[in-house]
Amino acid sequence: MPLTRQQAIDTSRILSEAMPYIQKFVGKTIVIKYGGNAMTDEKLKASFARDIVMMKLIGINPIVVHGGGPQIGNLLEQLKIESHFVNGMRVTDSKTMDVVEMVLGGMVNKEIVGLINSAGGKAIGLTGKDGELLRARKLRVKHKTPEMEAPEIIDIGHVGEVESVNIKVLKMLENSDFIPVIAPIGVGADGHAYNINADLVAGKVAEVLMAEKLILLTNIAGLLDKEGKVLTGLSTQQVDALIEDGTIYGGMLPKIDCALSAVKSGVNTAHIIDGRVEHACMLEIFTNEGVGTLITNKSLSVPGNPA
């Protein structure tokens, strides 16, 4: 069906608005943490894959890092393996780690690769074991209750943090037609596999590559103030103040800490965006309004001067 006159005008306006952003970001790297509803809703999965392919086609270098906690939980339940959590992190013994590798490195990773390839891209699935992409060290969890004089250190098994990222592997893929899709599984000096939080992996990858942007897909509209309104543009100093006054708390803190660390380490901007919106990545990158919260160390840009 042909476009109406108004639809044609709206389309040309959107394309015109996108042009300065495309000009600025061609040749730059954007790291996207993919998770939440965007990973489970069929329409959102398709729109995400198209966004990633479009970025690559116009000369941007997207790198996808994905989670998969709910999928891991579902399979553990089917296998009748009980889950335990400490400070929100899954205790990961050897049996659980086998399931984590099966789900993240196999099922979820290959589904995302397939989605991107079906949309016309050339995706390559990786875990931290491939080319020693992610070197990990065991995460030591501190747990403290009010009656304790000092926190206790709890071993939660095969859960790690990023020690280093092999930049050569990513640079090789960046300079090709391929799109890296990374499962957050690292390998330790002991040769053991470690499950790592996907937000932390995405942040560290963005830092070592000095990426233009770090984008974290969430199931909320963005960072909210105390009245529930989305905060659309913030400096790192403003974010620190929001943490201090309690506006940012609870489950949002680790994501915010990841975004802050990336920006303070040289990533130009970090974005916490609403993954429940179709084509959320394209809207955040190529429109003036965006669909979430932008965090930067630099002066915020005005419309027409893309951040």
Side-chain angles (χ1 to χ4, degrees), residues 3 8 13 34 40 84 92 107 119 124 136 141 147 160 193 213 215 264 270 275 297:
L3 293 176
R13 178 187 61 79
Y34 179 48
T40 55
H84 301 280
T92 307
M107 184 176 70
I124 294 278
V141 178
E147 60 273 12
K213 294 180 180 293
I215 296 177
K264 289 177 179 179
N297 251 338

Side-chain angles (χ1 to χ4, degrees), residues 92-108:
T92 307
D93 59 14
S94 295
K95 276 188 180 179
T96 303
M97 191 63 217
D98 288 343
V99 173
V100 168
E101 288 201 76
M102 189 188 312
V103 173
L104 293 182
M107 184 176 70
V108 175

Side-chain angles (χ1 to χ4, degrees), residues 230-249:
V230 178
L231 298 164
T232 55
L234 296 169
S235 67
T236 54
Q237 292 85 356
Q238 288 172 309
V239 175
D240 286 333
L242 290 168
I243 294 171
E244 184 68 26
D245 72 13
T247 300
I248 303 170
Y249 65 95

Side-chain angles (χ1 to χ4, degrees), residues 21 27 40 44 48 86 98 103 147 159 165 184 199 202 213 222 232 235 265 296:
Y21 295 93
T40 55
L44 294 175
F48 173 80
V86 174
D98 288 343
V103 173
E147 60 273 12
V159 177
V165 179
D199 289 332
K213 294 180 180 293
T232 55
S235 67
S265 298
T296 181

Side-chain angles (χ1 to χ4, degrees), residues 104-120:
L104 293 182
M107 184 176 70
V108 175
N109 188 271
K110 300 316 170 193
E111 182 188 18
I112 298 166
V113 167
L115 284 167
I116 293 171
N117 290 347
S118 294

Side-chain angles (χ1 to χ4, degrees), residues 65-238:
V65 178
H66 66 82
Q71 294 91 329
I72 292 168
N74 289 339
L75 186 53
L76 287 170
E77 191 175 332
Q78 290 173 34
L79 295 172
K80 297 186 173 10
I81 299 174
E82 197 171 345
S83 292
H84 301 280
F85 293 87
V86 174
N87 294 351
M89 287 178 282
R90 190 188 305 275
V91 177
T92 307
D93 59 14
S94 295
K95 276 188 180 179
T96 303
M97 191 63 217
D98 288 343
V99 173
V100 168
E101 288 201 76
M102 189 188 312
V103 173
L104 293 182
M107 184 176 70
V108 175
N109 188 271
K110 300 316 170 193
E111 182 188 18
I112 298 166
V113 167
L115 284 167
I116 293 171
N117 290 347
S118 294
K122 295 178 182 177
I124 294 278
L126 302 164
T127 74
K129 288 184 170 182
D130 296 306
E132 290 199 324
L133 175 61
L134 300 175
R135 175 56 67 94
R137 58 175 169 257
K138 182 187 278 283
L139 180 65
R140 305 288 181 179
V141 178
K142 291 183 179 180
H143 180 68
K144 189 176 187 300
T145 58
E147 60 273 12
M148 295 169 62
E149 290 185 9
E152 61 177 329
I153 306 299
I154 300 177
D155 186 343
I156 56 173
H158 295 265
V159 177
E161 56 187 343
V162 179
E163 186 172 70
S164 63
V165 179
N166 187 344
I167 197 170
K168 291 181 181 177
V169 175
L170 296 174
K171 284 292 185 183
M172 178 184 68
L173 293 171
E174 268 192 335
N175 295 326
S176 70
D177 293 332
F178 295 106
I179 300 165
V181 178
I182 302 171
I185 298 168
V187 61
D190 54 9
H192 292 149
Y194 289 91
N195 184 17
I196 309 175
N197 177 279
D199 289 332
L200 295 180
V201 171
K204 288 299 180 185
V205 168
E207 287 178 25
V208 299
L209 290 174
M210 296 294 285
E212 178 69 22
K213 294 180 180 293
L214 168 66
I215 296 177
L216 305 174
L217 287 168
T218 67
N219 284 341
I220 60 171
L223 186 56
L224 308 178
D225 65 16
K226 289 182 177 177
E227 284 72 49
K229 295 179 182 177
V230 178
L231 298 164
T232 55
L234 296 169
S235 67
T236 54
Q237 292 85 356
Q238 288 172 309

Side-chain angles (χ1 to χ4, degrees), residues 25-33 52 55 60-65 174 180 205-206 209-215 269 271 281 285-286:
F25 301 139
V26 164
K28 302 293 178 65
T29 296
I30 296 179
V31 178
I32 304 107
K33 188 281 179 135
I52 296 300
M55 286 184 217
I60 293 171
N61 297 314
I63 294 176
V64 178
V65 178
E174 268 192 335
V205 168
L209 290 174
M210 296 294 285
E212 178 69 22
K213 294 180 180 293
L214 168 66
I215 296 177
T269 55
H271 305 248
C281 290
I285 296 168
F286 297 122

